[in-house]
Amino acid sequence: MKTFKLQCEILSPLHIGTGKEIEPFDYIITGERLYRLSFERFVTDMTESERLAFEGVLDKGNLLATRKFVEKHINVERNTLYSSEVSPQISSLYHTKKGDIQNQLLIFPFIRIEGDYVPIVPGSSIKGAVRTAVISKLANSSGLPKPKDFREENEFESIVLGYKDGKDDPFRGIKIRDKILGNDSTIIREIRNVSKKDGRLQSNDMQIICEVSHSSLTGKTVEFETEVSFDDALFSTRFLSKTLTRELITESCTNFYKDKMEKEHEKFYKNSEVEKCSIQLLNTPLDENSFMLRIGRFSGVESVTLDNYRNPKPPGNKTAWGTSRNLAEGRYPMGWLKVTVSG
């Protein structure tokens, strides 16, 4: 087993979620901090008189009164699962709307380890991004014809990588470890969907609230180290259809993701209020051992599809994909990492 270290710097806000939302009844925001409630701990911690009072509020079925009771009696140190920083905009929005029973401030949390509730970057997220870049490079040097339909698209990856079923998929020979982030590494921010119209970025009606990482772009650098391992036994016996190497991964990711960043800048951010942030990303120093990578939700369709071989279309084929971007607070592109390989 050959193992290399991956030193990762989160360049722009990153959101890797669970696909589930938390509702306003599941959390409270005090000042600029969100506390995820544990009702089991809350009820267990009550005195007998508090429990009777709480049962009386619940019996009335008044959700707003219930929310107020919880906020008044909760011990945020003892009765919560975890907490996260909240942007001033989200804090203000919450305190404006918390008295409204129709409040729909749904939040997409960052993926966390069950039980410990600490945020993690799954190795599978990094591996998936690497896989896209490698397959795109191999496809473009293969001379293979473009898939004609959905069935051929589903088979295309296996043709490019030369495997018949999952058993000889070369990416079986690569493992990337999950990495725990610190509890101070995330913040709740608003994500705005924007399109370029008449030469300007304009915000659409879509509002999403997510727990995202801090980042170099937003002024608080988050770095983490993980490992990638190559199973020499699987590769050397030719059990897998192709041999993957550190050099192939570095070259593939360098070409694929730098190209996506440059094109996104030209298409969306040049001469806009996001231009300064985009240029900062473009000027990230790289050497022969480092490359860009894009992971997580809101990466943009171009970063998760193969160059020249797949043209994804939305349901109904009414418009083309890739005509809008999702930006943290309407300013920060999402999901960029700098990865440096060593060892």
Side-chain angles (χ1 to χ4, degrees):
M1 189 77 71
K2 189 178 297 181
T3 300
F4 300 97
K5 293 180 180 179
L6 301 180
Q7 185 65 42
C8 303
E9 177 185 354
I10 301 179
L11 299 175
S12 70
L14 166 66
H15 173 73
I16 303 175
T18 63
K20 297 180 179 179
E21 302 164 306
I22 56 175
E23 301 182 1
F25 201 71
D26 297 323
Y27 67 86
I28 62 170
I29 293 177
T30 300
E32 293 185 357
R33 199 146 194 97
L34 175 144
Y35 295 90
R36 179 73 184 274
L37 305 181
S38 168
F39 279 95
E40 180 181 357
R41 296 179 187 177
F42 178 57
V43 173
T44 302
D45 214 27
M46 285 180 180
T47 64
E48 184 63 27
S49 61
E50 287 173 337
R51 188 175 296 110
L52 289 173
F54 188 48
E55 289 173 356
V57 173
L58 291 176
D59 287 342
K60 293 178 182 178
N62 187 322
L63 293 180
L64 185 56
T66 303
R67 189 182 296 170
K68 287 181 178 179
F69 184 95
V70 172
E71 188 168 303
K72 181 179 179 180
H73 292 85
I74 194 81
N75 182 323
V76 295
E77 299 298 327
R78 292 167 56 88
N79 307 148
T80 56
L81 301 174
Y82 62 85
S83 69
S84 177
E85 186 180 347
V86 176
S87 73
Q89 293 90 336
I90 298 301
S91 178
S92 176
L93 188 62
Y94 172 82
H95 290 295
T96 299
K97 289 192 171 187
K98 69 177 182 179
D100 180 3
I101 198 62
Q102 301 302 319
N103 172 6
Q104 289 297 306
L105 288 180
L106 303 174
I107 296 176
F108 289 93
F110 208 93
I111 187 171
R112 292 172 179 264
I113 296 176
E114 288 288 339
D116 292 331
Y117 296 104
V118 290
I120 63 167
V121 175
S124 58
S125 294
I126 297 175
K127 184 175 176 179
V130 168
R131 182 184 180 95
T132 297
V134 169
I135 293 175
S136 186
K137 175 180 172 56
L138 295 176
N140 280 285
S141 62
S142 69
L144 289 168
K146 188 174 180 177
K148 297 177 182 178
D149 52 35
F150 183 75
R151 182 184 62 80
E152 287 191 5
E153 280 194 0
N154 282 344
E155 297 173 351
F156 189 70
E157 286 191 10
S158 62
I159 294 172
V160 171
L161 292 174
Y163 67 83
K164 295 180 180 179
D165 56 45
K167 293 180 180 178
D168 54 341
D169 182 340
F171 276 89
R172 279 193 61 217
I174 291 180
K175 295 190 184 335
I176 300 179
R177 293 180 59 186
D178 297 346
K179 182 61 182 181
I180 295 174
L181 299 180
N183 275 319
D184 60 347
S185 63
T186 64
I187 182 171
I188 312 296
R189 294 192 190 272
E190 180 185 44
I191 309 299
R192 279 286 178 183
N193 182 263
V194 301
S195 299
K196 200 160 192 179
K197 301 174 183 177
D198 301 321
R200 298 182 59 189
L201 286 181
Q202 298 183 28
S203 181
N204 301 318
D205 292 335
M206 185 186 304
Q207 179 196 58
I208 306 171
I209 300 174
C210 291
E211 183 182 11
V212 302
S213 69
H214 287 291
S215 68
S216 302
L217 202 61
T218 53
K220 185 177 178 180
T221 300
V222 177
E223 297 180 334
F224 63 91
E225 183 178 280
T226 185
E227 293 179 347
V228 56
S229 298
F230 295 79
D231 193 325
D232 291 338
L234 287 178
F235 287 124
S236 62
T237 59
R238 303 298 297 174
F239 179 80
L240 304 178
S241 60
K242 287 186 182 299
T243 298
L244 302 180
T245 64
R246 163 184 172 173
E247 292 74 22
L248 175 63
I249 288 174
T250 301
E251 181 183 357
S252 299
C253 292
T254 296
N255 295 337
F256 186 81
Y257 289 104
K258 189 68 172 178
D259 174 70
K260 303 302 169 292
M261 183 181 285
E262 291 170 350
K263 288 180 177 177
E264 187 169 294
H265 175 80
E266 289 294 323
K267 184 175 180 179
F268 290 99
Y269 308 140
K270 191 174 181 180
N271 300 320
S272 78
E273 60 271 33
V274 184
E275 182 175 44
K276 183 178 179 180
C277 291
S278 182
I279 289 175
Q280 184 177 331
L281 289 172
L282 286 168
N283 289 338
T284 301
L286 300 173
D287 59 29
E288 65 275 11
N289 295 312
S290 58
F291 54 87
M292 295 290 193
L293 204 63
R294 201 172 201 182
I295 66 174
R297 190 178 178 189
F298 311 118
S299 292
V301 67
E302 299 87 354
S303 295
V304 296
T305 54
L306 306 183
D307 287 340
N308 304 318
Y309 278 93
R310 288 182 177 170
N311 294 316
K313 298 178 181 178
N317 298 333
K318 294 179 181 178
T319 59
W321 285 119
T323 58
S324 66
R325 298 291 96 164
N326 290 289
L327 306 174
E329 297 184 349
R331 293 189 294 161
Y332 305 112
M334 296 287 293
W336 288 105
L337 300 181
K338 175 183 175 180
V339 181
T340 301
V341 188
S342 64

